[in-house]
Amino acid sequence: MLSRPRALGPLVALFTAGYLAPYLLPTVVGRLSAGLGLSPAQAGLVGSVLLLASASAGFTLAARVERFGPRRAARAGLLAMCVGYGSAALTTSVPLVVGGAVVGGFGSGTTLAVAAAGIAAQRDPHRASTLGLLSVSATAGALYLTLPHLGGGHALPFASIALAAALVWPLTGGLAGGAARGAARGAEDAPGRPGRGGEGVPLPHRRSGLVLAAAILLWSLAQNALWGVSGRIGLTQAGLGEVTVGAVFAVALGAGLAGVTAAGALGSRLGRAVPIGAGTAIIAGCVLVSSGAENLAAFATGEILWNLFYPVVLSYLLGLAASLDPRGRWAVLVGSASSLGVACGPVTGSVLSAQAGYPGMGMVLCVLLLLVAVPMTAVALHTSGRPLVPGSVRRRGGAPAAVVAGTTTAATGLVPQMGAPEQQVTEIPVPSRRRADRRAFRLARPSARG
């Protein structure tokens, strides 16, 4: 899909641009409410519509990135982001703002689909996801520090996302275009690799992938139900100013940088089950602290600890999804399910907080997170040590490795494991055997002995 030396930079940039809208969700929702006179529920609904458009783009493009070409799909997504978010920033008409948010959200989802498919094809998907989260956390943190000093209104957050998309555009030259895509299809049609460009090849690990997608949908919903109203918790319940709340968010995202860095250094030493299960349990406790905060100390503690562990767990979840299918289809589908949960988060948080108050909302979200931690941990345990895709043992290890994989568990080093990075495979064309010439054979007769 990508040329190796230049692959990671464009993917990280696309990941950053695509994820920037969800990271800026609190300030987008807050400024829609303050600048356009929308109620908190209406502003949350606009944020949900934006993220729902992003999720729909991911589901649409899950298995079609290679068909369209990564460069073409990425540029289409970035163009939609510039046009959609840019137009939303330039108008005060609510219908036009909503329309621009939908177009921009679809562009964000398209950009993320390309990034997710490319990250899944990397030798170490967890490292690539970690770098992407580091980049988007740093960018969002800088914006949270800067935007409150540039004025109010809804225009600045939308304009910032559009500008980020414009800055990423030149980097798409490092992605494969139509010619490279055609070559990739030719390789896919080589002997031993069924299908054309990935079409017709069934998804591996269907049960694990579906369970992970459903669980991460609820996991993301719980996270963003709180994230969507965190600004209002700081302003109304904790009694803080916008500059102070923005500073807390910036420090929290800085803590997220430290957490993702630690996750990258830790790698697979603890596997995926422990970081996913234990990390989600810790996040559930942070949600309780943040939702019940009534002063700066409690609010800052909850938000900073929450954002410290959230990207850590997310990086392992994205790595787990990428390892289920090196073609990137599960990475895109699971990422889109996460975006769907993110989309439902703001309106869910607004409704729960209106009905039960912020502390009651936090209790509900805490219980939900503890419940979804169980199936996600189970998927991580169930898929550890399994081959990347059905048939990968045959293609990579040959017949002897396949026999070992089917008869013993002692020599696991011969079998590619999910936790290990996928190795490059060079296709060697084998000429077909020529049909034997019948004239080369003759009847066997007893030879005369002299």
Side-chain angles (χ1 to χ4, degrees):
M1 180 183 292
L2 303 167
S3 57
R4 272 294 169 194
R6 303 172 62 188
L8 197 54
L11 291 178
V12 171
L14 289 173
F15 189 96
T16 302
Y19 247 116
L20 195 56
Y23 266 71
L24 293 180
L25 190 64
T27 189
V28 169
V29 172
R31 289 186 176 228
L32 283 174
S33 179
L36 297 181
L38 301 177
S39 67
Q42 290 173 331
L45 182 60
V46 174
S48 294
V49 169
L50 184 159
L51 298 173
L52 185 61
S54 177
S56 65
F59 285 120
T60 302
L61 296 172
R64 296 177 173 86
V65 173
E66 290 184 9
R67 183 190 306 173
F68 296 138
R71 185 189 304 164
R72 183 184 303 173
R75 288 180 173 176
L78 293 173
L79 179 61
M81 290 178 65
C82 292
V83 172
Y85 295 130
S87 62
L90 295 176
T91 182
T92 57
S93 171
V94 174
L96 293 179
V97 170
V98 174
V102 170
V103 174
F106 196 87
S108 294
T110 302
T111 304
L112 270 178
V114 177
I119 286 174
Q122 294 292 306
R123 295 183 178 181
D124 189 349
H126 179 258
R127 175 177 174 270
S129 300
T130 298
L131 291 175
L133 289 170
L134 281 171
S135 178
V136 70
S137 296
T139 304
L143 289 174
Y144 274 116
L145 285 175
T146 305
L147 291 180
H149 300 284
L150 298 180
H154 73 285
L156 285 175
F158 285 124
S160 300
I161 303 172
L163 178 61
L167 293 176
V168 169
W169 180 282
L171 299 179
T172 57
L175 301 173
R181 180 189 57 180
R185 282 189 175 182
E188 291 292 341
D189 290 336
R193 290 194 176 186
R196 181 174 179 86
E199 298 175 10
V201 180
L203 276 171
H205 309 320
R206 284 179 175 269
R207 184 184 304 172
S208 297
L210 289 174
V211 170
L212 181 61
I216 201 172
L217 188 154
L218 297 175
W219 186 85
S220 297
L221 183 147
Q223 307 283 339
N224 287 275
L226 177 62
W227 186 240
V229 299
S230 288
R232 299 207 299 273
I233 292 175
L235 293 173
T236 60
Q237 183 170 280
L240 308 176
E242 184 181 4
V243 174
T244 304
V245 171
V248 170
F249 286 159
V251 174
L253 292 174
L257 292 175
V260 173
T261 303
L266 183 63
S268 59
R269 291 181 179 87
L270 297 178
R272 295 191 182 99
V274 172
I276 290 174
T280 300
I282 295 173
I283 289 173
C286 295
V287 169
L288 280 180
V289 175
S290 183
S291 61
E294 295 182 349
N295 51 55
L296 175 59
F299 181 73
T301 299
E303 293 290 326
I304 291 172
L305 289 179
W306 175 32
N307 283 275
L308 174 65
F309 287 97
Y310 166 77
V312 174
V313 179
L314 181 60
S315 69
Y316 281 97
L317 288 172
L318 294 177
L320 176 59
S323 68
L324 294 178
D325 178 22
R327 295 178 185 272
R329 290 168 293 177
W330 274 126
V332 177
L333 288 172
V334 170
S336 300
S338 176
S339 297
L340 183 59
V342 170
C344 299
V347 66
T348 302
S350 297
V351 172
L352 285 176
S353 61
Q355 297 296 323
Y358 295 124
M361 176 199 68
M363 180 63 68
V364 173
L365 299 179
C366 175
V367 173
L368 179 60
L369 285 171
L370 293 176
L371 289 176
V372 299
V374 176
M376 292 192 303
T377 306
V379 170
L381 289 172
H382 179 65
T383 57
S384 61
R386 293 172 61 179
L388 286 172
V389 291
S392 60
V393 177
R394 176 181 57 79
R395 293 197 299 268
R396 291 167 173 77
V403 173
V404 172
T407 58
T408 182
T409 57
T412 54
L414 295 176
V415 186
Q417 304 294 314
M418 294 251 330
E422 182 184 5
Q423 300 298 319
Q424 287 293 322
V425 179
T426 302
E427 297 288 346
I428 302 176
V430 179
S432 59
R433 299 178 180 177
R434 293 181 299 177
R435 181 174 298 177
D437 190 353
R438 291 185 177 181
R439 292 177 295 178
F441 298 91
R442 61 184 179 181
L443 295 174
R445 295 185 177 91
S447 59
R449 294 183 181 181

